[in-house]
Amino acid sequence: MTMNKLLLSALFVCLSCSHAFAFSPGRLAPSHPINQPQPSIISHKKALSLQSPTPHKPGAVRQSPPLRAVEGDFDPDAIKNSVSQVQSGSLKAKLRALYKFTRPHTIRGTILASIAGTTRALIDTPGAIADAQWGVMLPRAVVGMAALLLGNAFIVGINQISDRDIDVLNKPFLPVASGEMSEKAAWVAVLTAGIVGPSIVYNFFPTLLFKLYMLGWGLGAIYSVPPFRTKRNPLLAGLTIATVRGFLLNFGVYYAVKDAIG
């Protein structure tokens, strides 16, 4: 009887231990559910190595690239840094400010509209692509694109000068509002674009295109310049933008291409 009790006690102890540990050759290890991935010492060390900072030379100072304001950037530190770079005399910073002054998103719109108008005119003219004199047309297209971009710079530039006090609050990333570009430099850029652009069209394109160009030039100016400032009236502002961007730009490019084809 005593022997039976001892055997039962030993069996009970073995069964209890089997629930707490899983047997593996040479050691006892805690049990885990079947098919559950086991932790790996190697993978753990690898994870630690990925989390640890990259070693660097003693005494080396890590420097992050300086912040600079871009289109639509309201970060005051980036804007301040861009202004300080211009004030330090950096030519690259001044060119960057001039580029921002031209409002790059409007440049992309002008280029896309020109490509679309040119493509439409070529498609509408049978044999235009096969018989085109590309040696004459391509330089003419480059000159025309330059005139359009100068007209665009004139319109957006005079708008920034006229709206400086408003842009300081609403669009502080613009170069005139932030101080990256002085008002004097802005006027020089606007007057240069406003004179060179019409001169190109007058000398290289038909009279009708020059008249259309100057109509857009004038509408773009009175959109911002007092006492007109058509932008103050929602209806007049919408009509001005639709006329310049929707009609004059597209029709002008189309007509210029058709005239070049002959």
Side-chain angles (χ1 to χ4, degrees):
M1 187 68 178
T2 303
M3 183 61 68
N4 291 336
K5 289 182 178 180
L6 289 174
L7 291 173
L8 289 172
S9 299
L11 181 60
F12 178 78
V13 171
C14 290
L15 290 173
S16 300
C17 291
S18 67
H19 285 283
F21 298 94
F23 179 77
S24 62
R27 66 172 183 168
L28 293 176
S31 61
H32 297 277
I34 298 175
N35 295 330
Q36 178 176 337
Q38 307 302 316
S40 170
I41 296 176
I42 296 176
S43 62
H44 179 64
K45 289 181 178 179
K46 184 178 180 181
L48 289 176
S49 67
L50 291 174
Q51 294 174 1
S52 62
T54 305
H56 60 282
K57 296 179 181 180
V61 179
R62 294 178 181 172
Q63 295 182 348
S64 57
L67 295 173
R68 58 174 181 263
V70 295
E71 181 83 5
D73 192 348
F74 287 85
D75 185 354
D77 292 332
I79 294 173
K80 183 178 179 181
N81 189 62
S82 294
V83 174
S84 65
Q85 288 181 5
V86 172
Q87 292 174 346
S88 69
S90 170
L91 177 60
K92 185 177 181 181
K94 291 179 180 180
L95 292 175
R96 188 185 306 120
L98 179 61
Y99 175 67
K100 288 167 60 178
F101 183 69
T102 62
R103 304 305 302 275
H105 71 280
T106 62
I107 291 177
R108 291 190 287 270
T110 301
I111 293 174
L112 288 174
S114 300
I115 294 173
T118 301
T119 304
R120 182 74 263 176
L122 291 174
I123 292 174
D124 289 348
T125 307
I129 297 177
D131 301 332
Q133 298 179 354
W134 298 108
V136 176
M137 291 182 59
L138 289 179
R140 188 183 177 94
V142 171
V143 171
M145 180 65 70
L148 289 174
L149 294 179
L150 287 169
N152 183 82
F154 169 78
I155 293 173
V156 299
I158 205 167
N159 176 262
Q160 290 175 68
I161 295 172
S162 301
D163 286 0
R164 181 183 180 280
D165 293 337
I166 299 174
D167 290 340
V168 167
L169 300 176
N170 295 336
K171 301 175 183 178
F173 50 84
L174 294 178
V176 176
S178 67
E180 284 182 74
M181 179 179 282
S182 67
E183 189 169 331
K184 179 181 178 180
W187 271 115
V188 170
V190 164
L191 292 176
T192 300
I195 294 172
V196 176
S199 299
I200 291 174
V201 179
Y202 181 81
N203 286 286
F204 290 94
F205 295 94
T207 304
L208 176 60
L209 286 180
F210 176 72
K211 291 179 179 179
L212 292 175
Y213 187 93
M214 292 310 298
L215 176 60
W217 189 98
L219 289 174
I222 65 174
Y223 177 81
S224 303
V225 175
F228 307 100
R229 284 183 70 81
T230 56
K231 64 181 297 179
R232 291 181 299 185
N233 183 291
L235 179 60
L236 291 177
L239 288 173
T240 301
I241 295 172
T243 302
V244 176
R245 287 282 179 185
F247 171 70
L248 293 177
L249 174 59
N250 293 289
F251 178 78
V253 171
Y254 184 89
Y255 183 88
V257 176
K258 294 287 284 186
D259 178 73
I261 294 172

